[in-house]
Amino acid sequence: MGYLDNSRGPAYPLILKDLILTPSLGAWFFSLASLSGLIVLLTSSKWLPVVGVVRGTKLSLIIMGLGSLFMGFIPYLEEQYFFLLLFSVIFGIGQGLVSFCMNLLVAEASTENTRGRAYSALHCCYGVASFVAPLVFSQFMEWKGSWSFFYLFMSAIPFLVFILVFKIGKGVVVSKEPPLKTNLSFKRRVVYGGVFSFYVASEIVISTRLIYFLIEAKGISSESAAQSLSFFFLSLMGGRLLFAFLPVKKKTYSFMIISLLSSMIIFYFGYTGDPRILALLGGSMSFYFPMGMNWLSSRFEKGKEQMIASVLTQVGVLLVLMHFFFGELASGLGVEKALLMAPILLSISLLFLIILKKEEPS
């Protein structure tokens, strides 16, 4: 790890830069966070009847707050990279918990007619956060010049939200019965999971490696690359915001197909032409996951807890594998060839979706 001397305090490790530009370091950081969230999903049938979805959401806020808080103290610790990975595991547990609970909350609290817009609104919040976070970080660094203090500052947000929502759900009876299960075989659940997991892996490849690709493979300046990533998240946010208001009703399957095909077309022109075109992928990808969750919940009114947990579990497994595989490809073949993972993953997701077409309700 590199260090930057700072006369105002302890040496500050160049962790963020190293994670972006060193595939092996980033692979461990992202993979362990994904793996810890995966454990939460694999055990959902055990803790959900005890904790419940509302209390589970509140608990996730505390865990994420602690994970961020601990990261803020890394410069004051020995073996900083070890503790970075450890705290990423803690934060990943909170992320896995909130991801499952929030998607399940929307599925349970919305009607068939409003579910698509509700999911789009939920994932629009993710888009807003993805767009705003790097801007806030950049401004904070200009103000304080300390990435660790940024984590301390951000840790207050989950705790604040916890205080605001503390009384929500008071008196809600948590069912002690295990969630209903579907009669689908394991192989069939894998097909459903493939519809989502390969798509999510492709989106993460673009969102986490786009700057790396633009700077290292295409020689684009850091400023221009950062602007492209910002536009990616802006279009991701805008697309989900749009679909939060559009009445999609039963057209979710068609929108999912359109998202995958348009994303592959945009990738082709961005990869072979002006690479900054890749930023447009945010718009084409934006509505796939919320439309997909609406489609999945509509298919399984009974047993949706099992299906959502199963799908998110497969997403977590594939993300762990993807981070390591991308790191190996980037190290061996270069980031330019490694980025071809994205359209391959999109194609596999499309294949699974076509396989399930006959099961789409009329």
Side-chain angles (χ1 to χ4, degrees):
M1 300 295 293
Y3 287 87
L4 177 65
D5 290 333
N6 192 317
S7 59
R8 293 173 296 176
Y12 287 92
L14 299 178
I15 289 177
L16 299 180
K17 181 179 178 182
D18 286 345
L19 288 178
I20 294 173
L21 299 180
T22 308
S24 59
L25 296 183
W28 278 105
F29 179 79
F30 292 120
S31 296
L32 286 176
S34 299
L35 184 60
S36 58
L38 176 62
I39 294 173
V40 172
L41 296 170
L42 287 172
T43 59
S44 62
S45 61
K46 304 296 183 183
W47 58 260
L48 186 59
V50 177
V51 178
V53 66
V54 175
R55 280 186 286 184
T57 305
K58 296 176 182 178
L59 180 60
S60 71
L61 293 170
I62 297 176
I63 296 174
M64 288 190 293
L66 289 174
S68 181
L69 180 66
F70 294 156
M71 285 186 186
F73 290 104
I74 286 177
Y76 301 92
L77 303 173
E78 298 292 336
E79 303 295 333
Q80 294 173 354
Y81 186 57
F82 166 78
F83 283 107
L84 176 70
L85 298 181
L86 176 62
F87 299 153
S88 74
V89 168
I90 295 175
F91 193 82
I93 291 173
Q95 281 192 316
L97 192 59
V98 75
S99 178
F100 175 68
C101 289
M102 291 301 292
N103 280 286
L104 190 55
L105 275 174
V106 171
E108 291 183 345
S110 58
T111 65
E112 184 177 355
N113 291 331
T114 62
R115 188 176 294 136
R117 283 178 288 171
Y119 270 120
S120 293
L122 170 63
H123 291 277
C124 177
C125 294
Y126 298 157
V128 171
S130 299
F131 174 68
V132 172
L135 299 179
V136 173
F137 178 77
S138 177
Q139 293 298 316
F140 195 91
M141 289 298 290
E142 290 183 10
W143 176 40
K144 286 291 185 180
S146 169
W147 67 265
S148 60
F149 193 72
F150 175 76
Y151 276 107
L152 293 174
F153 172 76
M154 292 300 292
S155 68
I157 296 179
F159 292 124
L160 176 61
V161 175
F162 174 79
I163 294 172
L164 294 175
V165 303
F166 180 75
K167 293 185 177 180
I168 295 179
K170 285 285 187 178
V172 174
V173 178
V174 178
S175 175
K176 301 301 181 182
E177 297 296 324
L180 293 175
K181 295 185 177 181
T182 68
N183 57 2
L184 285 184
S185 66
F186 174 76
K187 290 183 179 180
R188 207 59 181 171
R189 293 203 304 274
V190 168
V191 176
Y192 275 97
V195 168
F196 295 89
S197 58
F198 287 96
Y199 159 76
V200 172
S202 69
E203 182 185 314
I204 299 301
V205 165
I206 297 297
S207 63
T208 60
R209 270 47 175 210
L210 181 59
I211 282 186
Y212 183 35
F213 169 76
L214 293 176
I215 295 175
E216 296 294 308
K218 297 301 180 180
I220 293 176
S221 67
S222 299
E223 293 76 12
S224 182
Q227 290 174 0
S228 295
L229 183 62
S230 294
F231 186 80
F232 172 86
F233 285 121
L234 180 62
S235 57
L236 187 74
M237 174 187 68
R240 288 174 176 170
L241 182 62
L242 175 64
F243 277 84
F245 294 97
L246 289 178
V248 294
K249 295 183 180 180
K250 296 184 179 181
K251 300 177 182 178
T252 51
Y253 182 88
S254 299
F255 278 116
M256 293 169 72
I257 294 289
I258 292 171
S259 174
L260 293 175
L261 292 177
S262 59
S263 295
M264 286 188 280
I265 292 171
I266 291 172
F267 184 92
Y268 171 79
F269 284 107
Y271 191 83
T272 60
D274 187 343
R276 286 168 291 196
I277 293 176
L278 293 173
L280 296 174
L281 285 169
S284 62
M285 289 179 157
S286 62
F287 51 93
Y288 183 86
F289 198 83
M291 291 297 101
M293 292 305 295
N294 180 29
W295 172 73
L296 182 72
S297 299
S298 299
R299 289 289 307 158
F300 300 98
E301 288 294 340
K302 294 182 178 180
K304 56 180 174 289
E305 295 90 350
Q306 181 195 32
M307 290 304 298
I308 291 175
S310 176
V311 162
L312 295 180
T313 297
Q314 288 181 238
V315 169
V317 170
L318 196 59
L319 286 182
V320 172
L321 296 175
M322 181 276 293
H323 286 307
F324 276 110
F325 193 54
F326 185 93
E328 292 300 317
L329 280 179
S331 298
L333 301 177
V335 66
E336 186 169 8
K337 288 186 172 58
L339 200 72
L340 289 173
M341 281 182 63
I344 293 173
L345 292 167
L346 288 172
S347 300
I348 298 173
S349 182
L350 178 61
L351 176 62
F352 280 122
L353 196 56
I354 292 173
I355 290 174
L356 292 173
K357 179 175 175 56
K358 64 179 64 177
E359 296 188 18
E360 175 71 2
S362 59

